[in-house]
PDB file of all heavy atoms in Angstrom:
ATOM      1  N   VAL X 265      19.198 -49.323 -39.248  1.00 98.00           N
ATOM      2  CA  VAL X 265      19.124 -50.540 -40.098  1.00 98.00           C
ATOM      3  C   VAL X 265      17.661 -50.973 -40.251  1.00 98.00           C
ATOM      4  O   VAL X 265      17.194 -51.224 -41.377  1.00 98.00           O
ATOM      5  CB  VAL X 265      19.984 -51.652 -39.496  1.00 98.00           C
ATOM      6  CG1 VAL X 265      19.624 -53.002 -40.141  1.00 98.00           C
ATOM      7  CG2 VAL X 265      21.425 -51.352 -39.682  1.00 98.00           C
ATOM      8  N   ASN X 266      16.925 -51.086 -39.167  1.00 98.00           N
ATOM      9  CA  ASN X 266      15.602 -51.668 -39.181  1.00 98.00           C
ATOM     10  C   ASN X 266      14.525 -50.702 -39.738  1.00 98.00           C
ATOM     11  O   ASN X 266      13.537 -51.131 -40.317  1.00 98.00           O
ATOM     12  CB  ASN X 266      15.192 -52.166 -37.821  1.00 98.00           C
ATOM     13  CG  ASN X 266      15.979 -53.392 -37.408  1.00 98.00           C
ATOM     14  OD1 ASN X 266      16.368 -54.210 -38.232  1.00 98.00           O
ATOM     15  ND2 ASN X 266      16.233 -53.537 -36.134  1.00 98.00           N
ATOM     16  N   ASN X 267      14.691 -49.425 -39.500  1.00 97.00           N
ATOM     17  CA  ASN X 267      13.707 -48.418 -39.951  1.00 97.00           C
ATOM     18  C   ASN X 267      13.982 -47.873 -41.334  1.00 97.00           C
ATOM     19  O   ASN X 267      13.005 -47.376 -41.945  1.00 97.00           O
ATOM     20  CB  ASN X 267      13.634 -47.245 -38.921  1.00 97.00           C
ATOM     21  CG  ASN X 267      13.196 -47.680 -37.554  1.00 97.00           C
ATOM     22  OD1 ASN X 267      12.687 -48.797 -37.359  1.00 97.00           O
ATOM     23  ND2 ASN X 267      13.426 -46.853 -36.547  1.00 97.00           N
ATOM     24  N   ILE X 268      15.180 -47.939 -41.796  1.00 97.00           N
ATOM     25  CA  ILE X 268      15.519 -47.263 -43.059  1.00 97.00           C
ATOM     26  C   ILE X 268      16.201 -48.188 -44.060  1.00 97.00           C
ATOM     27  O   ILE X 268      15.748 -48.265 -45.213  1.00 97.00           O
ATOM     28  CB  ILE X 268      16.424 -46.026 -42.757  1.00 97.00           C
ATOM     29  CG1 ILE X 268      15.687 -45.019 -41.932  1.00 97.00           C
ATOM     30  CG2 ILE X 268      16.917 -45.365 -44.075  1.00 97.00           C
ATOM     31  CD1 ILE X 268      16.354 -44.626 -40.665  1.00 97.00           C
ATOM     32  N   VAL X 269      17.281 -48.831 -43.666  1.00 98.00           N
ATOM     33  CA  VAL X 269      18.066 -49.583 -44.654  1.00 98.00           C
ATOM     34  C   VAL X 269      17.350 -50.851 -45.120  1.00 98.00           C
ATOM     35  O   VAL X 269      17.175 -51.087 -46.322  1.00 98.00           O
ATOM     36  CB  VAL X 269      19.450 -49.944 -44.103  1.00 98.00           C
ATOM     37  CG1 VAL X 269      20.269 -50.675 -45.173  1.00 98.00           C
ATOM     38  CG2 VAL X 269      20.201 -48.693 -43.648  1.00 98.00           C
ATOM     39  N   ARG X 270      16.915 -51.645 -44.206  1.00 97.00           N
ATOM     40  CA  ARG X 270      16.205 -52.900 -44.605  1.00 97.00           C
ATOM     41  C   ARG X 270      14.918 -52.654 -45.335  1.00 97.00           C
ATOM     42  O   ARG X 270      14.653 -53.305 -46.365  1.00 97.00           O
ATOM     43  CB  ARG X 270      15.948 -53.777 -43.334  1.00 97.00           C
ATOM     44  CG  ARG X 270      17.176 -54.563 -42.888  1.00 97.00           C
ATOM     45  CD  ARG X 270      16.942 -55.318 -41.619  1.00 97.00           C
ATOM     46  NE  ARG X 270      18.024 -56.278 -41.374  1.00 97.00           N
ATOM     47  CZ  ARG X 270      18.279 -56.798 -40.154  1.00 97.00           C
ATOM     48  NH1 ARG X 270      17.586 -56.386 -39.103  1.00 97.00           N
ATOM     49  NH2 ARG X 270      19.263 -57.663 -39.994  1.00 97.00           N
ATOM     50  N   PRO X 271      14.060 -51.696 -44.914  1.00 96.00           N
ATOM     51  CA  PRO X 271      12.828 -51.460 -45.647  1.00 96.00           C
ATOM     52  C   PRO X 271      13.059 -51.001 -47.108  1.00 96.00           C
ATOM     53  O   PRO X 271      12.166 -51.107 -47.949  1.00 96.00           O
ATOM     54  CB  PRO X 271      12.126 -50.355 -44.833  1.00 96.00           C
ATOM     55  CG  PRO X 271      12.611 -50.561 -43.457  1.00 96.00           C
ATOM     56  CD  PRO X 271      14.072 -50.971 -43.622  1.00 96.00           C
ATOM     57  N   THR X 272      14.237 -50.455 -47.410  1.00 96.00           N
ATOM     58  CA  THR X 272      14.554 -50.035 -48.769  1.00 96.00           C
ATOM     59  C   THR X 272      14.786 -51.262 -49.660  1.00 96.00           C
ATOM     60  O   THR X 272      14.671 -51.169 -50.873  1.00 96.00           O
ATOM     61  CB  THR X 272      15.802 -49.130 -48.763  1.00 96.00           C
ATOM     62  OG1 THR X 272      15.583 -48.033 -47.908  1.00 96.00           O
ATOM     63  CG2 THR X 272      16.075 -48.586 -50.167  1.00 96.00           C
ATOM     64  N   GLY X 273      15.081 -52.391 -49.062  1.00 95.00           N
ATOM     65  CA  GLY X 273      15.298 -53.624 -49.825  1.00 95.00           C
ATOM     66  C   GLY X 273      16.678 -54.244 -49.695  1.00 95.00           C
ATOM     67  O   GLY X 273      17.014 -55.239 -50.357  1.00 95.00           O
ATOM     68  N   PHE X 274      17.504 -53.667 -48.822  1.00 96.00           N
ATOM     69  CA  PHE X 274      18.875 -54.161 -48.638  1.00 96.00           C
ATOM     70  C   PHE X 274      18.954 -55.278 -47.628  1.00 96.00           C
ATOM     71  O   PHE X 274      18.211 -55.333 -46.644  1.00 96.00           O
ATOM     72  CB  PHE X 274      19.782 -53.025 -48.199  1.00 96.00           C
ATOM     73  CG  PHE X 274      20.063 -51.981 -49.236  1.00 96.00           C
ATOM     74  CD1 PHE X 274      19.463 -50.727 -49.145  1.00 96.00           C
ATOM     75  CD2 PHE X 274      20.904 -52.237 -50.313  1.00 96.00           C
ATOM     76  CE1 PHE X 274      19.718 -49.746 -50.106  1.00 96.00           C
ATOM     77  CE2 PHE X 274      21.136 -51.254 -51.266  1.00 96.00           C
ATOM     78  CZ  PHE X 274      20.561 -50.033 -51.173  1.00 96.00           C
ATOM     79  N   GLU X 275      19.906 -56.159 -47.837  1.00 95.00           N
ATOM     80  CA  GLU X 275      20.261 -57.230 -46.915  1.00 95.00           C
ATOM     81  C   GLU X 275      21.577 -56.765 -46.188  1.00 95.00           C
ATOM     82  O   GLU X 275      22.563 -56.486 -46.831  1.00 95.00           O
ATOM     83  CB  GLU X 275      20.511 -58.533 -47.630  1.00 95.00           C
ATOM     84  CG  GLU X 275      21.048 -59.632 -46.763  1.00 95.00           C
ATOM     85  CD  GLU X 275      21.432 -60.860 -47.557  1.00 95.00           C
ATOM     86  OE1 GLU X 275      22.390 -60.751 -48.358  1.00 95.00           O
ATOM     87  OE2 GLU X 275      20.774 -61.904 -47.407  1.00 95.00           O
ATOM     88  N   ILE X 276      21.561 -56.728 -44.871  1.00 96.00           N
ATOM     89  CA  ILE X 276      22.715 -56.259 -44.104  1.00 96.00           C
ATOM     90  C   ILE X 276      23.800 -57.314 -44.139  1.00 96.00           C
ATOM     91  O   ILE X 276      23.568 -58.471 -43.853  1.00 96.00           O
ATOM     92  CB  ILE X 276      22.281 -55.894 -42.657  1.00 96.00           C
ATOM     93  CG1 ILE X 276      21.106 -54.946 -42.663  1.00 96.00           C
ATOM     94  CG2 ILE X 276      23.491 -55.302 -41.919  1.00 96.00           C
ATOM     95  CD1 ILE X 276      21.354 -53.644 -43.408  1.00 96.00           C
ATOM     96  N   VAL X 277      25.009 -56.853 -44.426  1.00 95.00           N
ATOM     97  CA  VAL X 277      26.171 -57.742 -44.448  1.00 95.00           C
ATOM     98  C   VAL X 277      27.003 -57.536 -43.220  1.00 95.00           C
ATOM     99  O   VAL X 277      27.470 -58.500 -42.605  1.00 95.00           O
ATOM    100  CB  VAL X 277      26.987 -57.471 -45.747  1.00 95.00           C
ATOM    101  CG1 VAL X 277      28.268 -58.308 -45.739  1.00 95.00           C
ATOM    102  CG2 VAL X 277      26.178 -57.739 -46.972  1.00 95.00           C
ATOM    103  N   SER X 278      27.280 -56.301 -42.836  1.00 96.00           N
ATOM    104  CA  SER X 278      28.070 -56.053 -41.664  1.00 96.00           C
ATOM    105  C   SER X 278      27.785 -54.656 -41.111  1.00 96.00           C
ATOM    106  O   SER X 278      27.318 -53.775 -41.862  1.00 96.00           O
ATOM    107  CB  SER X 278      29.548 -56.200 -41.921  1.00 96.00           C
ATOM    108  OG  SER X 278      30.039 -55.162 -42.752  1.00 96.00           O
ATOM    109  N   ILE X 279      28.090 -54.446 -39.853  1.00 97.00           N
ATOM    110  CA  ILE X 279      28.068 -53.115 -39.278  1.00 97.00           C
ATOM    111  C   ILE X 279      29.366 -52.937 -38.481  1.00 97.00           C
ATOM    112  O   ILE X 279      29.924 -53.871 -37.951  1.00 97.00           O
ATOM    113  CB  ILE X 279      26.881 -52.847 -38.314  1.00 97.00           C
ATOM    114  CG1 ILE X 279      26.854 -53.868 -37.192  1.00 97.00           C
ATOM    115  CG2 ILE X 279      25.557 -52.887 -39.109  1.00 97.00           C
ATOM    116  CD1 ILE X 279      25.809 -53.532 -36.124  1.00 97.00           C
ATOM    117  N   SER X 280      29.916 -51.707 -38.476  1.00 97.00           N
ATOM    118  CA  SER X 280      31.155 -51.397 -37.772  1.00 97.00           C
ATOM    119  C   SER X 280      31.035 -50.047 -37.159  1.00 97.00           C
ATOM    120  O   SER X 280      30.111 -49.247 -37.447  1.00 97.00           O
ATOM    121  CB  SER X 280      32.314 -51.440 -38.738  1.00 97.00           C
ATOM    122  OG  SER X 280      32.519 -52.729 -39.330  1.00 97.00           O
ATOM    123  N   ARG X 281      32.007 -49.727 -36.286  1.00 97.00           N
ATOM    124  CA  ARG X 281      32.048 -48.443 -35.626  1.00 97.00           C
ATOM    125  C   ARG X 281      33.435 -47.834 -35.795  1.00 97.00           C
ATOM    126  O   ARG X 281      34.438 -48.536 -35.604  1.00 97.00           O
ATOM    127  CB  ARG X 281      31.749 -48.636 -34.125  1.00 97.00           C
ATOM    128  CG  ARG X 281      31.595 -47.356 -33.330  1.00 97.00           C
ATOM    129  CD  ARG X 281      31.261 -47.702 -31.905  1.00 97.00           C
ATOM    130  NE  ARG X 281      30.775 -46.544 -31.129  1.00 97.00           N
ATOM    131  CZ  ARG X 281      30.325 -46.607 -29.905  1.00 97.00           C
ATOM    132  NH1 ARG X 281      30.291 -47.744 -29.250  1.00 97.00           N
ATOM    133  NH2 ARG X 281      29.892 -45.514 -29.271  1.00 97.00           N
ATOM    134  N   LEU X 282      33.464 -46.584 -36.188  1.00 94.00           N
ATOM    135  CA  LEU X 282      34.716 -45.878 -36.422  1.00 94.00           C
ATOM    136  C   LEU X 282      34.646 -44.440 -35.969  1.00 94.00           C
ATOM    137  O   LEU X 282      33.537 -43.843 -36.021  1.00 94.00           O
ATOM    138  CB  LEU X 282      35.055 -45.859 -37.937  1.00 94.00           C
ATOM    139  CG  LEU X 282      35.512 -47.156 -38.596  1.00 94.00           C
ATOM    140  CD1 LEU X 282      35.532 -46.934 -40.123  1.00 94.00           C
ATOM    141  CD2 LEU X 282      36.871 -47.568 -38.121  1.00 94.00           C
ATOM    142  N   PRO X 283      35.726 -43.810 -35.589  1.00 93.00           N
ATOM    143  CA  PRO X 283      35.728 -42.360 -35.353  1.00 93.00           C
ATOM    144  C   PRO X 283      35.812 -41.625 -36.702  1.00 93.00           C
ATOM    145  O   PRO X 283      36.617 -41.999 -37.577  1.00 93.00           O
ATOM    146  CB  PRO X 283      36.967 -42.124 -34.513  1.00 93.00           C
ATOM    147  CG  PRO X 283      37.896 -43.214 -34.911  1.00 93.00           C
ATOM    148  CD  PRO X 283      37.057 -44.407 -35.279  1.00 93.00           C
ATOM    149  N   TYR X 284      35.001 -40.617 -36.883  1.00 93.00           N
ATOM    150  CA  TYR X 284      35.015 -39.768 -38.055  1.00 93.00           C
ATOM    151  C   TYR X 284      35.889 -38.584 -37.724  1.00 93.00           C
ATOM    152  O   TYR X 284      35.488 -37.712 -36.977  1.00 93.00           O
ATOM    153  CB  TYR X 284      33.557 -39.373 -38.372  1.00 93.00           C
ATOM    154  CG  TYR X 284      33.349 -38.404 -39.531  1.00 93.00           C
ATOM    155  CD1 TYR X 284      34.292 -38.319 -40.582  1.00 93.00           C
ATOM    156  CD2 TYR X 284      32.198 -37.625 -39.600  1.00 93.00           C
ATOM    157  CE1 TYR X 284      34.075 -37.476 -41.658  1.00 93.00           C
ATOM    158  CE2 TYR X 284      31.955 -36.782 -40.676  1.00 93.00           C
ATOM    159  CZ  TYR X 284      32.904 -36.708 -41.691  1.00 93.00           C
ATOM    160  OH  TYR X 284      32.700 -35.852 -42.765  1.00 93.00           O
ATOM    161  N   LEU X 285      37.073 -38.572 -38.271  1.00 91.00           N
ATOM    162  CA  LEU X 285      38.095 -37.566 -37.892  1.00 91.00           C
ATOM    163  C   LEU X 285      38.101 -36.379 -38.819  1.00 91.00           C
ATOM    164  O   LEU X 285      37.881 -36.479 -40.025  1.00 91.00           O
ATOM    165  CB  LEU X 285      39.473 -38.230 -37.911  1.00 91.00           C
ATOM    166  CG  LEU X 285      39.646 -39.544 -37.143  1.00 91.00           C
ATOM    167  CD1 LEU X 285      41.043 -40.094 -37.316  1.00 91.00           C
ATOM    168  CD2 LEU X 285      39.321 -39.322 -35.663  1.00 91.00           C
ATOM    169  N   SER X 286      38.376 -35.234 -38.226  1.00 87.00           N
ATOM    170  CA  SER X 286      38.512 -33.992 -39.014  1.00 87.00           C
ATOM    171  C   SER X 286      39.735 -33.233 -38.525  1.00 87.00           C
ATOM    172  O   SER X 286      39.952 -33.092 -37.298  1.00 87.00           O
ATOM    173  CB  SER X 286      37.233 -33.138 -38.876  1.00 87.00           C
ATOM    174  OG  SER X 286      37.384 -31.917 -39.588  1.00 87.00           O
ATOM    175  N   GLN X 287      40.499 -32.717 -39.453  1.00 84.00           N
ATOM    176  CA  GLN X 287      41.718 -31.974 -39.151  1.00 84.00           C
ATOM    177  C   GLN X 287      41.472 -30.863 -38.141  1.00 84.00           C
ATOM    178  O   GLN X 287      40.493 -30.141 -38.233  1.00 84.00           O
ATOM    179  CB  GLN X 287      42.288 -31.366 -40.447  1.00 84.00           C
ATOM    180  CG  GLN X 287      43.599 -30.645 -40.307  1.00 84.00           C
ATOM    181  CD  GLN X 287      44.094 -30.103 -41.616  1.00 84.00           C
ATOM    182  OE1 GLN X 287      43.353 -30.052 -42.597  1.00 84.00           O
ATOM    183  NE2 GLN X 287      45.352 -29.685 -41.692  1.00 84.00           N
ATOM    184  N   GLY X 288      42.348 -30.750 -37.182  1.00 83.00           N
ATOM    185  CA  GLY X 288      42.209 -29.729 -36.175  1.00 83.00           C
ATOM    186  C   GLY X 288      42.606 -28.346 -36.628  1.00 83.00           C
ATOM    187  O   GLY X 288      43.023 -28.139 -37.794  1.00 83.00           O
ATOM    188  N   ASP X 289      42.446 -27.370 -35.749  1.00 85.00           N
ATOM    189  CA  ASP X 289      42.757 -25.989 -36.096  1.00 85.00           C
ATOM    190  C   ASP X 289      43.505 -25.335 -34.928  1.00 85.00           C
ATOM    191  O   ASP X 289      43.975 -26.029 -34.009  1.00 85.00           O
ATOM    192  CB  ASP X 289      41.503 -25.218 -36.477  1.00 85.00           C
ATOM    193  CG  ASP X 289      40.397 -25.326 -35.418  1.00 85.00           C
ATOM    194  OD1 ASP X 289      40.734 -25.576 -34.228  1.00 85.00           O
ATOM    195  OD2 ASP X 289      39.212 -25.140 -35.758  1.00 85.00           O
ATOM    196  N   TYR X 290      43.543 -24.034 -34.910  1.00 81.00           N
ATOM    197  CA  TYR X 290      44.234 -23.293 -33.853  1.00 81.00           C
ATOM    198  C   TYR X 290      43.573 -23.553 -32.477  1.00 81.00           C
ATOM    199  O   TYR X 290      44.243 -23.517 -31.474  1.00 81.00           O
ATOM    200  CB  TYR X 290      44.214 -21.809 -34.169  1.00 81.00           C
ATOM    201  CG  TYR X 290      44.873 -20.917 -33.102  1.00 81.00           C
ATOM    202  CD1 TYR X 290      46.264 -20.861 -32.985  1.00 81.00           C
ATOM    203  CD2 TYR X 290      44.097 -20.216 -32.208  1.00 81.00           C
ATOM    204  CE1 TYR X 290      46.855 -20.080 -32.030  1.00 81.00           C
ATOM    205  CE2 TYR X 290      44.674 -19.420 -31.199  1.00 81.00           C
ATOM    206  CZ  TYR X 290      46.042 -19.352 -31.137  1.00 81.00           C
ATOM    207  OH  TYR X 290      46.634 -18.589 -30.151  1.00 81.00           O
ATOM    208  N   TYR X 291      42.263 -23.871 -32.505  1.00 83.00           N
ATOM    209  CA  TYR X 291      41.538 -23.968 -31.261  1.00 83.00           C
ATOM    210  C   TYR X 291      41.467 -25.417 -30.711  1.00 83.00           C
ATOM    211  O   TYR X 291      41.388 -25.607 -29.492  1.00 83.00           O
ATOM    212  CB  TYR X 291      40.110 -23.434 -31.450  1.00 83.00           C
ATOM    213  CG  TYR X 291      40.103 -22.029 -32.000  1.00 83.00           C
ATOM    214  CD1 TYR X 291      39.852 -21.799 -33.375  1.00 83.00           C
ATOM    215  CD2 TYR X 291      40.366 -20.946 -31.175  1.00 83.00           C
ATOM    216  CE1 TYR X 291      39.886 -20.499 -33.881  1.00 83.00           C
ATOM    217  CE2 TYR X 291      40.379 -19.641 -31.672  1.00 83.00           C
ATOM    218  CZ  TYR X 291      40.139 -19.435 -33.033  1.00 83.00           C
ATOM    219  OH  TYR X 291      40.155 -18.154 -33.563  1.00 83.00           O
ATOM    220  N   ASN X 292      41.477 -26.398 -31.625  1.00 83.00           N
ATOM    221  CA  ASN X 292      41.410 -27.803 -31.187  1.00 83.00           C
ATOM    222  C   ASN X 292      42.389 -28.637 -32.000  1.00 83.00           C
ATOM    223  O   ASN X 292      42.459 -28.444 -33.230  1.00 83.00           O
ATOM    224  CB  ASN X 292      39.999 -28.347 -31.341  1.00 83.00           C
ATOM    225  CG  ASN X 292      38.976 -27.715 -30.393  1.00 83.00           C
ATOM    226  OD1 ASN X 292      38.978 -28.067 -29.213  1.00 83.00           O
ATOM    227  ND2 ASN X 292      38.203 -26.797 -30.884  1.00 83.00           N
ATOM    228  N   ASP X 293      43.055 -29.550 -31.359  1.00 82.00           N
ATOM    229  CA  ASP X 293      44.058 -30.363 -32.036  1.00 82.00           C
ATOM    230  C   ASP X 293      43.391 -31.263 -33.092  1.00 82.00           C
ATOM    231  O   ASP X 293      43.976 -31.553 -34.148  1.00 82.00           O
ATOM    232  CB  ASP X 293      44.783 -31.241 -31.042  1.00 82.00           C
ATOM    233  CG  ASP X 293      45.773 -30.458 -30.199  1.00 82.00           C
ATOM    234  OD1 ASP X 293      46.111 -29.322 -30.568  1.00 82.00           O
ATOM    235  OD2 ASP X 293      46.182 -30.957 -29.143  1.00 82.00           O
TER     236      ASP X 293
END
Side-chain angles (χ1 to χ4, degrees):
V265 166
N266 290 328
N267 297 345
I268 297 124
V269 183
R270 279 174 169 160
T272 305
F274 290 106
E275 174 188 65
I276 307 303
V277 175
S278 70
I279 59 171
S280 299
R281 188 178 194 175
L282 288 171
Y284 177 24
L285 307 177
S286 178
Q287 184 180 13
D289 53 24
Y290 178 77
Y291 305 101
N292 291 283
D293 288 343

